Amino acid sequence: MPVSAAVTSIGLVVMWSSGFIGAELGTREAPADTLLMWRFLAAAAILGGAWALFRRRRLRPRALAEQAAIGALSQGGYLGGIVWAVGLGVPSGTAALIAALQPLAAGALAGRLLGETVSPRQWAGLAIGLGGVALVVQGDLSAGPTTAPAWAYGLPFAAMAALLAASFLERRARAPLAPVDAIPLHCLVSAVLFTGVALAGGHAAPPAGGGFWAAVAWTVLLSTVGGYGFYWLSLRRNGVTGTSALIYLTPPTTLVWAYAMFGDAPGWTALAGMAVCVIGVTAATVRRPVRRRPDRSARLAEEPVRARAVPRVPAE
């Protein structure tokens, strides 16, 4: 794997995982829609201001429309579905496991929609990785009954589908934009969406404590700039299947974050799941070097040419 692709993959896993930690930090201080509203208002102001100051350029109307739809799906649809489901009582591990079905769905659709070939080794890696995720979140799955309504379990599926749809739209965009141009627009669209939700629920006012604003800063810098920045870079370097496979590593990486920050030590089952995830993702993303056989037909074709190039000496 080239160094640039490796850095992109590692950055995606680490930064994407930071979002779950930021969500826990923020929801300890305020409701989820309050956190999401101020996260994207701050991100839109910072990134939009930086774009206007350093990279201001005219964007095509088609690009604006495409990126608005991609941002609404990748940030509004995905984050809204996950946070809403957890807020209704769906265990976070269950929501993570449902969202982790994305790589299998991406592999099934990539060939038909994008022409990406998914090899048997990649399919095996995706299946192994899903098994590792199941081990990692087994504690949440076996925690007992929840108070969540039955329909709430459909929200993580909708969130997963929204992120997958955004990934396919980005790959098929007719006027693609670099992440430095696209992410500020995504944040602006998400800020409008979540501000409307927070105002409708009466949760727009932020708390006065500094812990809330620390969580906002965490989610803006690490989760939004870092997580989504690396996600779109990975899509271009690794494709939909490879990028989706890396999502398998986010639940175990989140456990490492949680242990470092909150002292939540993972059990042996979770550690085993981490190892299985690494094996699955390695099988799905690492490409074997292609050995080229010598072209025998080309060598045979050259022999008559060499034979004709040697003049025959007439017999005396």
Side-chain angles (χ1 to χ4, degrees):
M1 180 185 294
V3 175
S4 58
V7 172
T8 300
S9 301
I10 295 172
L12 169 62
V13 172
V14 174
M15 295 301 177
W16 195 268
S17 303
S18 72
F20 298 96
I21 302 301
E24 182 169 348
L25 290 172
T27 52
R28 289 180 177 182
E29 307 288 337
D33 52 354
T34 307
L35 173 65
L36 291 171
M37 168 186 167
W38 287 101
R39 165 185 174 174
F40 284 108
L41 283 175
I46 295 172
L47 296 181
W51 183 89
L53 184 61
F54 298 109
R55 195 180 168 83
R56 181 174 55 190
R57 66 191 186 95
R58 187 174 182 179
L59 301 178
R60 296 169 55 187
R62 185 181 190 90
L64 292 174
E66 289 177 343
Q67 295 303 320
I70 292 170
L73 289 168
S74 65
Q75 294 184 353
Y78 177 74
L79 291 175
I82 294 295
V83 174
W84 189 13
V86 174
L88 290 171
V90 177
S92 58
T94 304
L97 180 61
I98 295 173
L101 294 173
Q102 180 198 351
L104 291 177
L109 297 175
R112 296 182 178 181
L113 298 181
L114 300 178
E116 292 186 9
T117 302
V118 184
S119 66
R121 181 171 57 85
Q122 286 181 309
W123 278 118
L126 293 175
I128 293 171
L130 182 61
V133 173
L135 288 175
V136 170
V137 301
Q138 185 180 13
D140 278 338
L141 292 174
S142 60
T146 68
T147 58
W151 61 267
Y153 287 85
L155 293 174
F157 283 101
M160 177 267 293
L163 184 60
L164 187 60
S167 303
F168 283 117
L169 284 178
E170 199 282 333
R171 294 285 286 177
R172 296 292 296 269
R174 295 187 178 181
L177 293 178
V180 70
D181 295 316
I183 293 178
L185 180 58
H186 295 175
C187 292
L188 178 60
V189 172
S190 300
V192 173
L193 290 175
F194 288 121
T195 298
V197 172
L199 288 173
H203 300 150
F212 174 79
W213 295 111
V216 169
W218 176 287
T219 55
V220 169
L221 296 177
L222 298 183
S223 309
T224 301
V225 178
Y228 279 95
F230 278 114
Y231 185 83
W232 300 121
L233 284 176
S234 181
L235 273 182
R236 298 191 177 187
R237 294 182 182 274
N238 302 323
V240 171
T241 304
T243 299
S244 298
L246 291 169
I247 299 298
Y248 278 148
L249 293 179
T250 56
T253 306
T254 302
L255 287 182
V256 176
W257 276 106
Y259 176 67
M261 298 191 64
F262 309 125
D264 299 334
W268 289 107
T269 302
L271 293 175
M274 293 182 190
V276 174
C277 285
V278 171
I279 294 173
V281 173
T282 300
T285 58
V286 176
R287 300 178 181 178
R288 296 179 179 177
V290 179
R291 297 181 179 179
R292 296 184 176 180
R293 298 180 179 180
D295 193 346
R296 186 179 178 185
S297 60
R299 179 171 54 83
L300 292 177
E302 292 177 357
E303 290 182 354
V305 175
R306 286 196 292 266
R308 289 193 298 269
V310 178
R312 292 186 178 182
V313 178
E316 295 182 358

